[in-house]
Amino acid sequence: MLKLRAKSRPRPPAGAGGYHHGNTHLIDLRSVTKSYQTAAGEFPALRQIDLLVDRGEFVAVVGKSGSGKSTLINMVTGIDRPTAGQVLIGDTAVHTLSEGQMAVWRGKHVGVIFQFFQLLPTLTVLENVMLPMDFCNTYPSRARVQRAMALLEEVAMVEHADKLPSATSGGQQQRVAIARALANDPDIIVADEPTGNLDSKTADAVFQLFQRLVDEGKTILMVTHDEELARRAGRTVTIADGLIVSDTARGGRNGELGQ
Amino acid sequence: MTTTRSGAELPSARASRAPALSGADPASDPAPIPSSSVNKPARRLLSPRWAKVGRDLTSHRMRSLLVVLSIAVGVFAVGVIVGTRQILNHQLHASFAAVNPSDAILGTSGFDADTLTAIRRMPEVESASARFSLYTRAHLGDGRWLELTLFALPDWQDIPLNIVRQESGPWPPARDAIAVERMSLPMLDAAIGDSLTLELPDGRRRTVNVTGTAHDINLPPARFTNQAFGYVTFDTLERWGIPKRFTSLSIRAADPASGVKDHAYVQQVTDLVQDKLEKGGRAVNFTYVADPKKHPADEVLNPVFLLLGVLGLLSLLLSAFLVVNTIAAVMAQQVRQIGVMKTIGAGFGQIVRLYLGMVLIFGLLALLVALPAGVAGAYGFTIFLSQFLNFDVVYEGVPLSALAVQVLVGLLVPLAAALIPIYSGARVTIREAISNYGLGQGRFGHGPADRFLVASQRYAPWLSRPLVISLRNTFRRKGRLALTMTTLTLGGAIFIAVLSVRTSLYQTVDDAIRNNNFHIVIGFDRDLRVEVLQNEALQVPGVIAAESWGRASTRRQRPDAPDDAGVPGFPLSGQSEGLGATPPGMRGGESDEIRLLAPPADSQMIQPQLTAGRWLLPEDENALVVNTNFMDAEEDVAIGDTITLRIDGKDSDWVVVGVAEGVLDQATIYTNSEYFGRLTGRAGRANSLRVLTDSEDPAEHRRIAAALEHHFEDAGYHVTQLSTRAENLEGTEYQFSILVNMLLVMTFLMALVGGLGLMGTMSISVIERTREIGVMRAIGAATRAILQIIIVEGVLIGLISWAQATLLAFPLSRLLSDQVGIAFTDSPLSFSFSLPAIALWLLIVALVAALASYLPARTASRLTVREVLAYE
């Protein structure tokens, strides 16, 4: 079996004991509010959101443009900070971390996938995948190439390892982005419209890859506009005007809103 | 199980799923990539982040090249200056020390070997050497005469002080032979083996054979003083009827008890020796006291290097501006990449280090160019200077301290310059970075200048749309514009200032000429009746006026110093009788030699620029006008003071009535010729004549001078000195031209850095606006329109900087001109602002701007719409 695990990473204790902050879920958003100051006054992007996500869940976040989807996942990745409330991810109270601590934490625990892939144009496909390991100093340097190649093998991009991103297609770039997100073996994958820029066939392939990762125990939070894709995720959280208006598990089961 | 290419094992089920994924978009898979996009070695040598740095550098080669070259020029300039200083310090001082330089030289009426022995026995004197000097004129091939000082040495092989070395030919030279000082040979238009006709002070002519050359590092460069030097033996002099004696004494003071051998101490020992000579009946005409262990040229070299050093640092500073602009542009361009890197785990410090690494590579690459070029330049510049300082340069390896300075500034200056843009760029939050999209960057429309430009369009609707774009683009990145503008403005202002120093130098020469409104000076071997001299001169065609001036060499007898005016803690007191009896440092209260000139009361040949008081009146008797050079030397003198002068051994009192500007002059005092004649017993007689001709042409002056000499010789009056105005100023103009050329080289470097800065800025602008250019092309902009927009923007920046440079140039020119004057002539130059320099800089900056923007514009205009719209 491929050893994709980072060289040292705290694992939350399984079972009822929970995490240091008393949360028993991998992702625990408590009364999260986020407001932006705009020329027109204060704009509330999230209003007292509570959300619980367990390990191994595949959550699709849906909603109209401007509803607060991206803000919500930015809370999970630590890209943005809440105006009020708590963001607890495993053992970490993310909202309390400094920028420097946040970067290290994010690199090790969260894999982010963007709509426009965002591969560094001057690095080869392989180097792009190695970069998170390089920044977070996970894995011995000699093992990084091996691991990156294995990840590329997983996303069927190994043949393109030495190409620059510009020499690959959109679908291929998104697969590389997924491999990059997996580089440090994070618990959580956060994807913002990962298929938004792909044709339906490629989007389907990417979705299948996500599904496989969930099967392997990863937790995925995916923002999407694609209702069909959202339905195929294990759980769908719908946001409107900064509020979670529905949280549905596949088969009709209500998700854990933590309320 | 399936084994991956990297050797890792994957479950076969997963492996079997992979092809389905990879086959998801076979149609969108691009064709096999060209080998240029493959970089296999990098993945083994470098971590991805450093691979990124490397490729960011190479992906914008032109931009990187400009930054590297710009830093290299600045580092090169600093390297040449520091390196030259180091080599000079070592080699010039070593060469100087090797000749055992004296601490002081005394010019006397003559003394013999016994006196020399007595001086050597003085406990305060460590060693002494003597030589004889004779002022002659050497006949040049074209009928001109050049002043030549002959030296004779008592012992040619064992010279204790101020050693003269044989360079070629027999040493000492044979009877009737001369060894010419090596720097004088070219001025004599002679070669070894030639014969040379010399005219002795009494008018006799003798022929000597040039049999060799000598090297005397102590002599001033022949071209600076416009006189030659040579060596003959006492045998030769005796054959010419000149008895053996010495006229100049060089001494080295013994080390004082305190161990501090400074100027004041040496002066005191010199005074003792002078006392001894004078008590023995030898008149001392002049004394020169050197600063121990300092080469005489240090006084000139220090300000030169200070000036060049400031210019070198400025060019480095200007190159740092390009670093700031480039790094700011890189950070802006890569803001999204920074966001992505932060998202995948890069910390602020890592991002900062990454981009500082890029700057470090700029610095290292610049050093690769600048270090060898700097060493070569330093040796080249030292060799150039050695021609004037009369010493030999040998290669002694790389000047290490200069190298260290170059490495330090080459790495630290760009790093320091890049810190702020990197810091602010790396501080961007992921959210800001990822949401940053759209066309172009830079804010336009927020400042007053922007609003003015927008409003002005209403009043100038005839401006073409591309021109409007150029105008507004210019003010889009205001910080960058400010730095580029500063670079070009400073470059331009210094260019104009240096050329203004040049015109000021020549203006100073002109002023010196205007002060002395005559073309030819003739000296005679005896006092002659003034009317006879003037009438004879007026008979020569071309002469329109002639005046006889009295002249003398004098010294001011300073008032006695108070008893406690000695140098505190001076160690010599009591070492000898003489020292114990005289207050130290103030012996005799006598000044250095002063030139006294006595023009007729109604003289038309002197037009002094008075700085205080008044000029001489016909009825003045013992009145004096002193020049500013005198005032610099005798600071305690004020208008209305009575001072005592010693003329021909007799003291007389004089009242100072005015101060005249001394332009390129020595310490000089003026008095009425009539009173001076009465005082010295030479009433109605003079030994020199100043002649005004009807021409301003130096060649004509020379011709008339030769005619005057023939005329006087034919009339039985022997001419001992003959010089034209141009000849007198030749040495000064030559010194000025060297300085100006050095400054011009530095100015060229500044202009180069300015040009590189503008090219870098334009290149950055074009890169940033690639997508905009694509949009313009997509909506129908022709290649010419794109070229026009970019080139006009560049030229506009150039023109604005020119206007600013012109404004800044005036005070800068004034400052530079004053400082150069003070450093080289002890008083500010006659300031003249160079208007042609302004026009010339306009031409240069317009050309540089057009060229600097043409290259990036051409690159932009060649991109296809598809390429530029796909650009990120």
Short mmCIF file of all heavy atoms in Angstrom, two decimals, chain B residues 766 773 777 782-784 786-787 790 856-864:
data_model
loop_
_atom_site.label_atom_id
_atom_site.label_comp_id
_atom_site.label_asym_id
_atom_site.label_seq_id
_atom_site.Cartn_x
_atom_site.Cartn_y
_atom_site.Cartn_z
N VAL B 766 4.95 47.05 -19.29
CA VAL B 766 4.42 46.28 -20.42
C VAL B 766 4.02 44.88 -19.96
O VAL B 766 2.94 44.38 -20.31
CB VAL B 766 5.47 46.22 -21.56
CG1 VAL B 766 5.05 45.21 -22.61
CG2 VAL B 766 5.62 47.59 -22.17
N ILE B 773 -3.04 45.00 -23.24
CA ILE B 773 -2.60 45.14 -24.62
C ILE B 773 -3.38 44.18 -25.50
O ILE B 773 -3.80 44.51 -26.62
CB ILE B 773 -1.06 44.91 -24.71
CG1 ILE B 773 -0.35 46.06 -24.01
CG2 ILE B 773 -0.61 44.77 -26.15
CD1 ILE B 773 1.11 45.79 -23.70
N ARG B 777 -5.66 45.04 -28.64
CA ARG B 777 -5.47 44.40 -29.95
C ARG B 777 -6.78 43.76 -30.40
O ARG B 777 -7.14 43.83 -31.58
CB ARG B 777 -4.39 43.32 -29.87
CG ARG B 777 -3.05 43.86 -29.52
CD ARG B 777 -1.97 43.05 -30.14
NE ARG B 777 -1.97 43.29 -31.56
CZ ARG B 777 -0.89 43.44 -32.30
NH1 ARG B 777 0.28 43.33 -31.75
NH2 ARG B 777 -0.96 43.65 -33.59
N ALA B 782 -3.75 48.60 -33.81
CA ALA B 782 -2.70 48.11 -34.70
C ALA B 782 -1.37 48.11 -33.95
O ALA B 782 -1.24 48.74 -32.90
CB ALA B 782 -2.61 49.02 -35.91
N THR B 783 -0.41 47.41 -34.51
CA THR B 783 0.92 47.32 -33.90
C THR B 783 1.47 48.72 -33.63
O THR B 783 2.05 49.00 -32.59
CB THR B 783 1.87 46.55 -34.83
OG1 THR B 783 1.30 45.27 -35.01
CG2 THR B 783 3.26 46.43 -34.26
N ARG B 784 1.26 49.61 -34.63
CA ARG B 784 1.80 50.95 -34.51
C ARG B 784 1.19 51.68 -33.30
O ARG B 784 1.89 52.40 -32.57
CB ARG B 784 1.51 51.73 -35.79
CG ARG B 784 2.58 52.74 -36.09
CD ARG B 784 2.38 53.39 -37.43
NE ARG B 784 2.34 54.83 -37.23
CZ ARG B 784 1.46 55.62 -37.79
NH1 ARG B 784 0.53 55.12 -38.59
NH2 ARG B 784 1.51 56.91 -37.57
N ILE B 786 0.03 50.34 -30.56
CA ILE B 786 0.59 49.77 -29.31
C ILE B 786 1.98 50.35 -29.07
O ILE B 786 2.30 50.81 -27.97
CB ILE B 786 0.69 48.22 -29.41
CG1 ILE B 786 -0.66 47.60 -29.75
CG2 ILE B 786 1.32 47.62 -28.17
CD1 ILE B 786 -1.63 47.47 -28.62
N LEU B 787 2.81 50.36 -30.13
CA LEU B 787 4.16 50.91 -30.01
C LEU B 787 4.09 52.37 -29.55
O LEU B 787 4.81 52.79 -28.65
CB LEU B 787 4.87 50.85 -31.37
CG LEU B 787 5.47 49.52 -31.78
CD1 LEU B 787 5.97 49.58 -33.21
CD2 LEU B 787 6.64 49.15 -30.87
N ILE B 790 3.20 52.96 -25.81
CA ILE B 790 4.27 52.65 -24.84
C ILE B 790 5.44 53.61 -24.99
O ILE B 790 5.97 54.12 -23.99
CB ILE B 790 4.71 51.17 -25.01
CG1 ILE B 790 3.52 50.27 -24.67
CG2 ILE B 790 5.90 50.86 -24.13
CD1 ILE B 790 3.68 48.85 -25.09
N PRO B 856 10.70 47.03 -24.93
CA PRO B 856 9.51 46.35 -24.38
C PRO B 856 8.28 46.53 -25.26
O PRO B 856 7.47 45.60 -25.39
CB PRO B 856 9.29 47.02 -23.03
CG PRO B 856 10.40 47.96 -22.80
CD PRO B 856 11.25 48.02 -23.99
N ALA B 857 8.16 47.69 -25.92
CA ALA B 857 6.99 47.92 -26.77
C ALA B 857 6.99 46.96 -27.94
O ALA B 857 5.95 46.41 -28.33
CB ALA B 857 7.01 49.36 -27.28
N ARG B 858 8.17 46.72 -28.49
CA ARG B 858 8.27 45.81 -29.63
C ARG B 858 7.86 44.40 -29.20
O ARG B 858 7.14 43.72 -29.91
CB ARG B 858 9.72 45.82 -30.15
CG ARG B 858 9.82 45.25 -31.55
CD ARG B 858 11.24 45.23 -32.00
NE ARG B 858 12.07 44.43 -31.09
CZ ARG B 858 13.26 43.96 -31.40
NH1 ARG B 858 13.77 44.20 -32.58
NH2 ARG B 858 13.96 43.27 -30.53
N THR B 859 8.34 44.01 -28.00
CA THR B 859 7.97 42.69 -27.49
C THR B 859 6.44 42.59 -27.36
O THR B 859 5.84 41.60 -27.78
CB THR B 859 8.60 42.47 -26.09
OG1 THR B 859 9.98 42.82 -26.18
CG2 THR B 859 8.48 41.03 -25.63
N ALA B 860 5.84 43.66 -26.79
CA ALA B 860 4.39 43.63 -26.57
C ALA B 860 3.64 43.58 -27.89
O ALA B 860 2.65 42.87 -28.03
CB ALA B 860 3.97 44.85 -25.78
N SER B 861 4.14 44.34 -28.87
CA SER B 861 3.39 44.42 -30.12
C SER B 861 3.49 43.13 -30.92
O SER B 861 2.73 42.92 -31.86
CB SER B 861 3.91 45.60 -30.95
OG SER B 861 5.23 45.34 -31.35
N ARG B 862 4.43 42.28 -30.55
CA ARG B 862 4.58 41.03 -31.28
C ARG B 862 3.71 39.90 -30.72
O ARG B 862 3.61 38.84 -31.32
CB ARG B 862 6.05 40.57 -31.25
CG ARG B 862 6.89 41.37 -32.21
CD ARG B 862 8.32 40.93 -32.14
NE ARG B 862 9.13 41.63 -33.12
CZ ARG B 862 10.42 41.47 -33.27
NH1 ARG B 862 11.05 40.61 -32.49
NH2 ARG B 862 11.08 42.11 -34.17
N LEU B 863 3.16 40.13 -29.52
CA LEU B 863 2.34 39.07 -28.92
C LEU B 863 1.02 38.95 -29.66
O LEU B 863 0.45 39.95 -30.12
CB LEU B 863 2.05 39.42 -27.45
CG LEU B 863 3.26 39.40 -26.52
CD1 LEU B 863 2.87 40.02 -25.18
CD2 LEU B 863 3.77 38.00 -26.31
N THR B 864 0.52 37.73 -29.76
CA THR B 864 -0.78 37.54 -30.41
C THR B 864 -1.87 37.77 -29.37
O THR B 864 -1.63 37.70 -28.16
CB THR B 864 -0.91 36.12 -30.96
OG1 THR B 864 -0.91 35.22 -29.86
CG2 THR B 864 0.21 35.77 -31.91
#
